[in-house]
Amino acid sequence: MKKLLLLSWGLALLASCASSSEDSIHFNKVEADKIVVLSNDDNSPSCRVHLELDYATDENSHRAEIVNKTIQQRLLDMEGLDMKQAADSFAVLYTSNYKKNFLPLYNQDRADTTKRSWYEYHYIITTDVTPGHKGVSVYHVNLDYYEGGAHGINQHLTMNFDPATGRQLFLSDVFAPGYEHKLNEVLLKVLLEKTAAKDLNELHDKGFLYSMDMFPSENFVLGDDTITFIYNPYEIAPYAAGCTELTIAYTDIDDILKNSFF
């Protein structure tokens, strides 16, 4: 009897592990790297595109296709290609447009060496995938680019992929209708605590929410026990403040979460 119980337990454990493996989305990575110089000058400015992209590779080809289509559309503005083709095509298109659009301008400015840095472009995307709530795959994107101006831009983007369908999850999939008022209140409370501000006026003095109201970002991470909202520079604070992350426990907002998901 004892042997039968152990065998039954072992089979159940194997079945559980197999189910977990089947439910999770598997990813591999592709890379693309391309550098072009703007002119034939020895000290010509250049443009570099460097991409390191995770893409779905699991046996569920339909689910993988949905995931990869979403990634391509959001990050590369492309679709209908495999991820390696899309990454290479993006690098070629970006660098060719750089040369086409900026060589005439550089020809006018090349005598002024102080303007050379204006034309030193780069566009870099790196990604990572972490496990999230109930098998969700959280797709993290670090986007770093310089296209002229006073400084470059660095953004942290996220996508949460449903393990059952491969579809990207949005706030409307996570929260019940009418969630906005309660969620904004909680987010504001967390922001006040994070910045050690006493009230909204003090937040304004620190540069936060100076010209906008609190809102839930569609850049969010569905963790096991918490949801983290990510705000990039200029979204709720000036560039100097960098990226702002606000984390809320599910237990603090359980009355506005969708029961079907949680």
Side-chain angles (χ1 to χ4, degrees):
M1 182 67 177
K2 184 176 180 181
K3 289 183 178 179
L4 288 175
L5 286 174
L6 288 172
L7 178 61
S8 175
W9 179 84
L11 290 173
L13 179 61
L14 287 173
S16 173
C17 291
S19 174
S20 175
S21 176
E22 290 172 1
D23 289 344
S24 61
I25 303 174
H26 302 283
F27 290 84
N28 279 340
K29 197 178 289 286
V30 298
E31 294 188 16
D33 194 274
K34 188 172 181 61
I35 301 175
V36 299
V37 293
L38 191 54
S39 74
N40 295 324
D41 298 348
D42 290 338
N43 64 339
S44 170
S46 63
C47 172
R48 183 192 183 197
V49 175
H50 181 73
L51 309 175
E52 297 179 20
L53 305 177
D54 287 275
Y55 69 102
T57 59
D58 51 80
E59 295 179 0
N60 186 334
S61 59
H62 180 64
R63 179 176 65 176
E65 181 181 349
I66 292 173
V67 171
N68 293 334
K69 181 178 180 180
T70 302
I71 295 169
Q72 284 189 30
Q73 286 178 333
R74 181 161 187 195
L75 301 185
L76 307 176
D77 194 24
M78 292 186 178
E79 60 180 281
L81 302 172
D82 67 42
M83 195 61 74
K84 176 59 176 172
Q85 291 172 333
D88 288 340
S89 297
F90 177 89
V92 169
L93 181 62
Y94 188 95
T95 52
S96 62
N97 283 339
Y98 161 78
K99 193 159 188 174
K100 175 184 176 182
N101 295 330
F102 293 102
L103 180 56
L105 297 175
Y106 177 66
N107 285 335
Q108 298 176 22
D109 290 333
R110 69 169 64 200
D112 187 348
T113 57
T114 63
K115 295 181 179 179
R116 181 186 178 280
S117 61
W118 297 1
Y119 298 93
E120 200 71 52
Y121 277 37
H122 68 263
Y123 198 94
I124 301 171
I125 300 177
T126 57
T127 69
D128 186 31
V129 182
T130 60
H133 181 73
K134 287 189 174 180
V136 166
S137 292
V138 185
Y139 194 94
H140 301 264
V141 181
N142 184 64
L143 173 59
D144 175 18
Y145 65 93
Y146 177 77
E147 297 176 331
H151 52 71
I153 298 294
N154 190 279
Q155 295 182 328
H156 181 185
L157 311 176
T158 62
M159 291 175 274
N160 298 266
F161 291 111
D162 187 332
T165 65
R167 188 176 67 85
Q168 182 181 354
L169 297 169
F170 297 95
L171 292 176
S172 58
D173 298 303
V174 177
F175 293 97
Y179 69 87
E180 291 86 355
H181 180 71
K182 168 66 178 290
L183 184 55
N184 286 338
E185 284 186 338
V186 176
L187 283 168
L188 182 58
K189 179 181 177 182
V190 173
L191 180 59
L192 286 166
E193 293 172 352
K194 185 180 184 72
T195 59
K198 297 178 181 178
D199 52 30
L200 194 57
N201 288 331
E202 195 165 327
L203 271 179
H204 290 167
D205 292 340
K206 294 175 180 284
F208 288 87
L209 301 179
Y210 191 78
S211 59
M212 74 287 292
D213 296 323
M214 193 73 248
F215 67 93
S217 172
E218 281 287 0
N219 269 339
F220 60 90
V221 174
L222 289 171
D224 287 333
D225 303 307
T226 61
I227 180 170
T228 298
F229 294 89
I230 300 170
Y231 299 87
N232 286 302
Y234 297 122
E235 290 189 324
I236 62 171
Y239 176 83
C243 182
T244 303
E245 297 187 5
L246 303 179
T247 299
I248 301 173
Y250 293 138
T251 52
D252 291 339
I253 50 174
D254 57 356
D255 57 329
I256 56 174
L257 294 172
K258 274 191 174 178
N259 293 330
S260 58
F261 186 75
F262 289 87

